[in-house]
Amino acid sequence: QVQLVESGGGSVQAGESLRLSCSVSGLTFSDHAMGWFRESPGKGREGVACISSTSRTVHYADSVKGRFTVSRDNAANTLTLRMYRLKPEDTAMYYCAADYTAGFIECADFGYWGQGTQVTVSS
C-alpha cells in the first residue's frame, strides 16, 4: 500500500518561511519522480515543484521560482519543500505526489497522492 504523508504546514505571516516534508512508503522511492502540488478555492490544482528520481530534473511553477526549493533524500524516502518569502497567494492545501515513472514530462497528473497539509499566509 502506497502512503504519502505530508507534514509541516501551518499559519505564517507574509515574508516568513515554512518547510514541508513528505514521507513515502509502499514503493521504491528512488524509482519515482516526485512533486508538490497545491489547490486553493477558485484556482484549481497547480504543480508547484517536481523533481525526477535522481534530482537531475527539477521544475518550478513561475509563481514560486526563486522562493521555493524542492529536494529529496532517496535514502530516507523523503521529499522536502522549503518555502521562503511566503505570500498570501501561496495559501493553499499542499499535496505530495509520486509519479509512476522516474522522470516526468509535465509537472501534473502524478499517480499517487498524499492527504495534504494546509499552508495559510496572512498579510
Side-chain angles (χ1 to χ4, degrees):
Q1 180 181 356
V2 178
Q3 286 192 315
L4 294 85
V5 180
E6 302 95 337
S7 61
S11 297
V12 297
Q13 297 288 319
E16 293 184 342
S17 302
L18 275 176
R19 186 179 73 177
L20 304 183
S21 295
C22 176
S23 179
V24 180
S25 61
L27 53 75
T28 303
F29 184 75
S30 59
D31 287 346
H32 296 264
M34 297 294 300
W36 288 99
F37 299 79
R38 65 186 182 188
E39 290 184 5
S40 57
K43 289 188 178 180
R45 180 181 295 172
E46 178 183 26
V48 175
C50 291
I51 185 169
S52 63
S53 62
T54 61
S55 303
R56 182 173 182 176
T57 302
V58 180
H59 168 83
Y60 293 99
D62 288 343
S63 57
V64 306
K65 278 181 182 176
R67 299 189 299 120
F68 289 13
T69 301
V70 63
S71 62
R72 62 188 295 159
D73 184 339
N74 285 350
N77 292 1
T78 301
L79 180 73
T80 300
L81 184 68
R82 291 176 172 83
M83 305 183 294
Y84 305 99
R85 302 189 303 280
L86 283 160
K87 304 176 180 180
E89 50 263 45
D90 294 319
T91 295
M93 184 70 78
Y94 283 72
Y95 297 90
C96 169
D99 204 359
Y100 294 120
T101 60
F104 63 93
I105 296 174
E106 187 177 5
C107 189
D109 300 326
F110 279 21
Y112 305 100
W113 293 82
Q115 294 299 307
T117 185
Q118 178 68 37
V119 171
T120 302
V121 185
S122 55
S123 57

